[in-house]
């Protein structure tokens, strides 16, 4: 395959170039990045998490990823988060028609848009032995944000943890941790937001805050990919619904379509 | 298939000839007599071991650079065959040493380094057994193989430097120095024969690893098409794999 | 962001986490002391004997303690998958590794700061006049231990039975380091102390080889 040969030749150079390029990148990239999956397959040994998923998510779309446990939602999100390489196929990041980064098999090409991606994972991605403020400060530093103290204070205030700034995350309730996890993921103002069951553990009040936060992100033009297997009010924001089953796209309302039918099916299921 | 059979038969013949030559053609050694004949296979297995580990090192680097599965398969094959040769060397060594030097083992630089080498690559095999995810297994074990390979010259150098500072046991009395012409011819034959056996085993092991991978691939294919593996309906997947 | 700056942030995080509980540090010191005390039953710790065996005992204690202490370095990132968060951040993977290497180096050095004086007292060895040279040897030896140990901590974190696997991977690999460190230390504890240049250079060489290798391979080490 000459194409893949060529890719691997440019790969090393791209890797080399990626680091200085990242350093010069501004922390808050303009919010117009889309993600597209091209026939993505992912296997863990003989277990297949994804069996050829093709999805083109345009910049600014709010996609609800639906499907039962084991459908491949988490794997898809982790791949978009650059945490995992597809076994086959490619994951592309697009800026309008231009491809700004892609991963083909085990290879990553061009700059990895790490600055532009935020993930709320299955786990909280927080250090239990650090305080809420210390956790956020750590990530603010790693993302080289400006005015770190202000940014962190604002974020903590926003997620309603201002009174627990100095407490260890270990002492937090499930809902508080989740709120902090969401605040951490959004701290660097990513334009691609990946949410894996973000409502887990949130109470009614937390959910309301979360939905409001998402609505703001949506109006800012962020691309949102949210997986869920249960109904919650933030789903009303979705412009598109994609149902996965057994590692394949089972049903897709499409970029121009109406997600309500699919979402309604989810609701009656519960 | 026929070619493979022929090659295997030829190698078998070669190793038989080598065995015969080592036992009956090579002249009797003046002081050590019959036991010295173990030398032909002892040296040959060390030689094969170094080749096998070199293959493993090369394959590990190639895997990390290209990410292709076949290099991982070659890497693990190289290590397994290398460990086998190393074990043969470590067993024949003391067998030879005991009657000649009166001791089973001596902490000489070569011996010690080889023993460490053996331990390192046993650890490599252990590591592979303990990591679940195949991709992780491949990349982590390649990293370890490279570290281990880098370590070997250091181990040898350290032992050389160290042992020269201590009273050194007489070892092998400079076996290369006064080798009889027939002896060196027999040694050459044995080197070649054991090397060929090693390559043959290595290739077979490599094929086995690839077949295992193909097998997993086919299982995956059957599963992903929603076919029942127990049914004969699995043929489309098999045909695809057979291409 | 430069790798150095990112590594400094990771280092600061590691130090903060450890000094909050000091669990790892305390356990390491106690373990090393236990090893040293146990050796006194295996060998007669009179002055002449201890000159011969002392350096070896000291380094065995350090290596064993290190192979236990380095395990949590990556394993504790798995609690909330925090390693994923670090990998997602726009920093090079070598920065993550380097930060951890430096942190582990500091932890090991602190443990040795307690261990070495206690060892000298128990085994009746005089540190007078050789302190700085001994520190130099300890620094190079510890650096080699923490570089390889941190790398293999990342390897073993993905395996089952990782607590057992790390020493199995690490200790055979460290034999050249052990020999060089023991010989350098022995040259300092001799009747007329003089640092053995060859072994000292060997230690430095070991550190350079494996630091370079970990720099080259860190992407594969931390990639999923």
């Amino acid at each position: 395959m000459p194409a893949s040969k060529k890719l691997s030749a440019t790969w090393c150079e791209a890797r080399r170039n990626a680091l200085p390029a990242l350093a010069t990148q501004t922390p808050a990239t303009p919010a117009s990045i889309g993600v597209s999956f091209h026939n993505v397959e992912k296997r863990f040994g003989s277990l297949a998490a994804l069996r050829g998923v093709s999805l083109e998510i345009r910049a600014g779309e709010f996609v609800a990823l639906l499907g039962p446990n084991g459908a491949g939602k988490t794997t898809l999100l982790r791949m978009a988060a650059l945490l995992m390489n597809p076994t086959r196929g490619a994951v592309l990041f697009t800026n309008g028609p231009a491809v700004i980064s892609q991963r083909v098999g085990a290879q990553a090409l061009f700059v990895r848009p790490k600055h532009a991606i935020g993930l709320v994972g299955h786990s909280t991605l927080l250090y239990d032995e650090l305080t809420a403020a210390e956790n956020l400060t750590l990530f603010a530093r790693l993302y080289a944000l400006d005015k770190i103290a202000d940014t962190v204070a604002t974020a903590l205030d926003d997620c309603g943890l201002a009174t627990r700034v100095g407490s260890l995350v270990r002492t937090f309730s499930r809902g508080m941790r989740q709120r902090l996890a969401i605040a951490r993921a959004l701290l660097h103002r990513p334009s691609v937001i990946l949410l894996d069951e973000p409502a887990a553990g949130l109470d009614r009040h937390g959910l309301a805050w979360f939905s409001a936060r998402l609505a703001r992100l949506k109006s800012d033009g962020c691309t949102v990919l949210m997986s869920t297997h249960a109904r919650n009010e933030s789903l009303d924001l979705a412009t598109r619904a994609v149902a996965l089953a057994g590692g394949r796209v089972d049903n897709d309302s499409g970029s121009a379509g109406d997600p309500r039918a699919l979402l309604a099916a989810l609701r009656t299921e519960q | 298939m026929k070619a493979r059979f022929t090659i295997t038969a030829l190698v078998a013949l070669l190793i038989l000839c080598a065995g015969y030559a080592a036992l009956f053609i090579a002249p009797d050694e003046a002081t050590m007599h019959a036991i010295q004949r173990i030398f032909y296979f002892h040296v040959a297995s060390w030689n094969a071991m170094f080749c096998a580990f070199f293959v493993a090192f090369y394959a590990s680097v190639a895997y990390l650079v290209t990410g292709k599965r076949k290099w991982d398969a070659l890497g693990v094959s190289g290590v397994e065959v290398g460990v086998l040769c190393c074990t043969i060397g470590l067993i024949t060594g003391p067998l030879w040493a005991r009657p000649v030097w009166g001791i089973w083992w001596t902490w000489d630089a070569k011996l010690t380094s080889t023993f460490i080498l053996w331990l390192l690559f046993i650890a490599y095999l252990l590591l592979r057994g303990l990591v679940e995810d195949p991709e992780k297994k491949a990349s982590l074990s390649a990293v370890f193989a490279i570290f281990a390979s880098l370590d070997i010259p250091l181990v040898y150098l350290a032992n050389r430097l160290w042992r020269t500072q201590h009273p050194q046991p007489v070892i092998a009395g400079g076996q290369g120095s006064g080798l009889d012409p027939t002896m060196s011819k027999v040694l050459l034959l044995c080197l070649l024969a054991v090397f060929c056996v090693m390559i043959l085993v290595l290739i077979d092991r490599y094929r086995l690893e690839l077949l295992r991978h193909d097998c997993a691939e086919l299982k995956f294919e059957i599963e992903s098409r929603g076919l029942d593996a127990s049914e004969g309906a699995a043929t489309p997947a098999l045909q695809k794999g057979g291409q | 962001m430069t790798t150095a700056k990112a590594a400094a942030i990771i280092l600061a995080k590691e130090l903060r986490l450890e000094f909050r509980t000091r669990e790892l540090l305390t356990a390491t010191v106690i373990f090393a002391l236990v090893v040293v005390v146990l050796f006194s039953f295996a060998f007669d710790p009179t002055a002449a004997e201890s000159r011969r065996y002392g350096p070896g005992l000291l380094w065995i204690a350090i290596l064993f303690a290190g192979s236990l202490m380095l395990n949590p370095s990556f394993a504790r990132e798995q609690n909330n998958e925090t390693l994923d968060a670090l990998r997602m951040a726009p920093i090079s993977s070598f920065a993550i590794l380097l930060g951890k290497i430096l942190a582990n180096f500091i932890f090991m050095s602190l443990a040795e700061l307690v261990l070495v004086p206690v060892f000298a007292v128990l085994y009746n060895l005089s540190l007078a006049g050789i302190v700085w040279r001994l520190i130099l040897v300890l620094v190079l030896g510890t650096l080699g231990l923490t570089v390889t140990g941190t790398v293999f901590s990342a390897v073993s974190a993905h395996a089952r039975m990782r607590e057992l696997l790390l020493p199995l991977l690490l200790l055979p690999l460290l034999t050249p380091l052990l020999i060089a460190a023991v010989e350098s230390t022995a040259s300092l504890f001799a009747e007329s102390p003089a640092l053995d240049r060859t072994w000292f250079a060997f230690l430095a060489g070991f550190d350079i080889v494996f630091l370079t290798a970990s720099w080259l391979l860190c992407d594969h080490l931390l990639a999923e």
Side-chain angles (χ1 to χ4, degrees), chain A residues 76-107:
Chain A
L76 202 68
L77 287 171
R78 283 177 64 83
M79 229 172 265
L82 300 168
L83 286 171
M84 219 180 237
N85 291 317
T87 313
R88 278 196 207 135
V91 181
L92 269 66
F93 291 87
T94 53
N95 189 349
V99 175
I100 57 170
S101 174
Q102 77 181 67
R103 344 192 82 200
V104 181
Q107 299 167 350

Side-chain angles (χ1 to χ4, degrees), chain A residues 120-134:
Chain A
V120 177
H122 245 296
S123 310
T124 55
L125 308 182
L126 296 168
Y127 290 94
D128 283 345
E129 300 301 323
L130 294 181
T131 66
E134 283 168 346

Side-chain angles (χ1 to χ4, degrees), chain C residues 169-192:
Chain C
L169 298 177
L170 189 58
L171 293 177
L173 196 92
L174 287 175
T175 42
L177 179 104
L178 177 67
I179 295 175
V182 169
E183 290 297 308
S184 314
T185 315
S187 70
L188 291 178
F189 281 136
E191 293 289 345
S192 50

Side-chain angles (χ1 to χ4, degrees), chain A residues 123-128 177, chain C residues 76-82:
Chain A
S123 310
T124 55
L125 308 182
L126 296 168
Y127 290 94
D128 283 345
R177 278 179 213 200
Chain C
R76 63 177 171 189
E77 298 276 357
Q78 287 181 334
N79 276 351
N80 291 324
E81 288 171 28
T82 40

Side-chain angles (χ1 to χ4, degrees), chain B residues 47-61 74-75 78-79 82 117 121 149 198 202:
Chain B
N47 227 44
M49 173 197 79
F50 275 113
C51 296
F53 282 143
F54 185 76
V55 168
F57 171 66
Y58 183 85
S60 299
V61 175
L74 189 62
V79 171
L117 183 68
F121 283 103
S149 306
M198 187 277 285
L202 180 69

Side-chain angles (χ1 to χ4, degrees), chain C residues 11-48:
Chain C
L11 169 66
K13 179 220 65 165
E14 294 283 320
L15 294 181
R16 196 184 281 269
L17 273 177
E18 178 53 31
F19 288 117
R20 183 142 292 160
T21 58
R22 287 181 295 273
E23 285 165 351
L24 196 58
L25 210 50
T26 322
T28 309
V29 171
I30 302 289
F31 178 80
L33 288 178
V34 167
V35 173
V36 165
V37 171
L38 279 186
F39 273 136
S40 75
F41 303 122
F43 300 101
D44 183 17
T46 57

